[in-house]
Coordinates of all heavy atoms in Angstrom, one line a residue:
F56 N 18.0 23.4 9.7 CA 19.2 23.8 10.5 C 20.2 22.8 10.5 O 21.4 23.1 10.3 CB 18.6 24.3 11.8 CG 19.8 24.8 12.7 CD1 20.4 26.0 12.5 CD2 20.3 24.0 13.7 CE1 21.4 26.5 13.3 CE2 21.4 24.5 14.6 CZ 21.9 25.8 14.4
R57 N 19.8 21.6 10.8 CA 20.9 20.5 10.8 C 21.4 20.0 9.5 O 22.4 19.5 9.3 CB 20.3 19.3 11.6 CG 20.0 19.5 13.1 CD 19.3 18.3 13.8 NE 20.1 17.2 13.6 CZ 21.0 16.7 14.6 NH1 21.2 17.6 15.7 NH2 21.6 15.6 14.4
N58 N 20.5 20.3 8.5 CA 20.8 20.0 7.1 C 21.3 18.5 6.9 O 22.4 18.2 6.4 CB 21.9 20.9 6.5 CG 22.0 20.9 5.0 OD1 21.0 20.5 4.4 ND2 23.2 21.1 4.5
E59 N 20.4 17.6 7.2 CA 20.6 16.2 7.2 C 19.6 15.5 6.2 O 18.6 15.0 6.7 CB 20.6 15.4 8.5 CG 21.7 15.9 9.4 CD 21.7 15.4 10.8 OE1 20.5 14.7 11.0 OE2 22.6 15.5 11.5
P60 N 19.8 15.6 5.0 CA 18.7 15.2 4.0 C 18.6 13.7 3.9 O 19.6 13.0 4.2 CB 19.2 15.8 2.7 CG 20.7 15.9 2.8 CD 20.9 16.2 4.2
I61 N 17.5 13.2 3.4 CA 17.3 11.8 3.1 C 16.9 11.7 1.7 O 16.1 12.7 1.1 CB 16.3 11.1 4.0 CG1 14.9 11.8 3.9 CG2 16.8 11.1 5.4 CD1 13.8 11.1 4.7
N62 N 17.3 10.7 1.0 CA 17.0 10.5 -0.4 C 15.5 10.0 -0.5 O 15.1 9.1 0.1 CB 17.9 9.5 -1.1 CG 19.3 10.0 -1.1 OD1 19.5 11.2 -0.9 ND2 20.3 9.1 -1.1
V63 N 14.7 10.6 -1.4 CA 13.3 10.3 -1.4 C 12.9 9.9 -2.9 O 11.8 9.3 -3.1 CB 12.3 11.3 -0.9 CG1 12.6 11.6 0.6 CG2 12.5 12.6 -1.7
G64 N 13.7 10.2 -3.9 CA 13.3 9.8 -5.2 C 14.4 10.1 -6.3 O 15.4 10.8 -6.0
V65 N 14.2 9.5 -7.4 CA 15.0 9.7 -8.6 C 14.3 10.0 -9.9 O 13.2 9.6 -10.0 CB 16.1 8.6 -8.9 CG1 17.0 8.4 -7.6 CG2 15.3 7.3 -9.0
V66 N 14.9 10.8 -10.6 CA 14.3 11.1 -12.0 C 15.3 11.0 -13.1 O 16.4 11.4 -12.9 CB 13.7 12.6 -12.0 CG1 13.1 12.9 -13.4 CG2 12.7 12.8 -10.9
V67 N 14.9 10.3 -14.1 CA 15.8 10.1 -15.3 C 15.1 10.7 -16.5 O 13.9 10.4 -16.8 CB 16.0 8.6 -15.6 CG1 16.8 8.4 -16.8 CG2 16.7 7.9 -14.3
T68 N 15.8 11.5 -17.3 CA 15.3 12.1 -18.5 C 16.1 11.8 -19.6 O 17.3 11.6 -19.6 CB 15.2 13.7 -18.4 OG1 16.5 14.2 -18.2 CG2 14.4 14.1 -17.1
S69 N 15.5 11.5 -20.8 CA 16.2 11.2 -22.0 C 15.4 11.6 -23.2 O 14.1 11.9 -23.0 CB 16.7 9.8 -22.1 OG 15.6 9.0 -22.3
E70 N 15.8 11.4 -24.4 CA 15.1 11.6 -25.6 C 13.9 10.5 -25.7 O 13.0 10.7 -26.4 CB 15.9 11.5 -26.9 CG 16.8 12.7 -26.9 CD 17.7 12.6 -28.3 OE1 17.6 11.7 -28.9 OE2 18.5 13.6 -28.5
E71 N 14.2 9.4 -25.0 CA 13.2 8.3 -25.1 C 12.0 8.5 -24.1 O 11.0 7.8 -24.2 CB 13.8 7.0 -24.7 CG 14.9 6.5 -25.6 CD 15.7 5.3 -25.3 OE1 15.1 4.6 -24.4 OE2 16.8 5.0 -25.7
G72 N 12.1 9.5 -23.2 CA 11.1 9.8 -22.3 C 11.6 10.0 -20.9 O 12.8 10.4 -20.6
V73 N 10.7 10.0 -19.9 CA 11.1 10.2 -18.5 C 10.8 9.0 -17.6 O 9.7 8.4 -17.8 CB 10.4 11.5 -18.0 CG1 10.6 11.7 -16.5 CG2 10.7 12.7 -18.8
G74 N 11.6 8.7 -16.8 CA 11.3 7.8 -15.7 C 11.5 8.2 -14.3 O 12.4 9.1 -14.1
S75 N 10.8 7.8 -13.4 CA 10.9 8.4 -12.0 C 10.4 7.4 -11.1 O 9.7 6.4 -11.3 CB 10.1 9.7 -11.8 OG 8.8 9.4 -11.9
R76 N 11.0 7.4 -9.8 CA 10.6 6.5 -8.8 C 10.7 7.2 -7.5 O 11.7 7.9 -7.2 CB 11.4 5.3 -8.7 CG 11.1 4.2 -7.6 CD 10.0 3.3 -8.1 NE 9.8 2.4 -7.0 CZ 10.3 1.1 -6.9 NH1 11.3 0.9 -7.8 NH2 10.2 0.3 -6.0
F77 N 9.7 7.2 -6.6 CA 9.7 8.0 -5.4 C 9.3 7.0 -4.2 O 8.6 6.0 -4.4 CB 8.7 9.2 -5.4 CG 9.2 10.2 -6.3 CD1 8.9 10.3 -7.7 CD2 9.9 11.3 -5.8 CE1 9.3 11.3 -8.5 CE2 10.4 12.3 -6.6 CZ 10.1 12.3 -8.1
L78 N 9.8 7.4 -3.0 CA 9.4 6.8 -1.8 C 7.9 6.8 -1.7 O 7.2 7.7 -1.9 CB 10.0 7.5 -0.6 CG 10.3 6.7 0.7 CD1 11.3 5.5 0.4 CD2 10.8 7.5 1.7
G79 N 7.4 5.5 -1.3 CA 5.9 5.3 -1.1 C 5.2 5.2 -2.4 O 4.0 5.2 -2.4
Q80 N 5.9 5.1 -3.6 CA 5.2 4.9 -4.8 C 4.6 3.6 -5.0 O 5.2 2.5 -4.9 CB 6.1 5.2 -6.0 CG 5.5 5.2 -7.4 CD 6.5 5.7 -8.4 OE1 7.2 6.6 -8.3 NE2 6.6 4.9 -9.5
R81 N 3.3 3.5 -5.4 CA 2.5 2.3 -5.7 C 2.9 1.9 -7.1 O 3.4 2.7 -7.9 CB 1.1 2.4 -5.6 CG 0.7 2.8 -4.1 CD -0.9 2.8 -4.0 NE -1.4 3.2 -2.8 CZ -1.8 4.5 -2.5 NH1 -1.8 5.4 -3.3 NH2 -2.3 4.7 -1.3

Side-chain angles (χ1 to χ4, degrees):
F56 179 74
R57 291 173 63 91
N58 192 28
E59 297 176 348
I61 59 173
N62 299 336
V63 297
V65 293
V66 179
V67 175
T68 63
S69 75
E70 293 182 355
E71 299 177 15
V73 176
S75 64
R76 179 84 178 272
F77 288 88
L78 202 63
Q80 182 172 313
R81 300 185 180 97

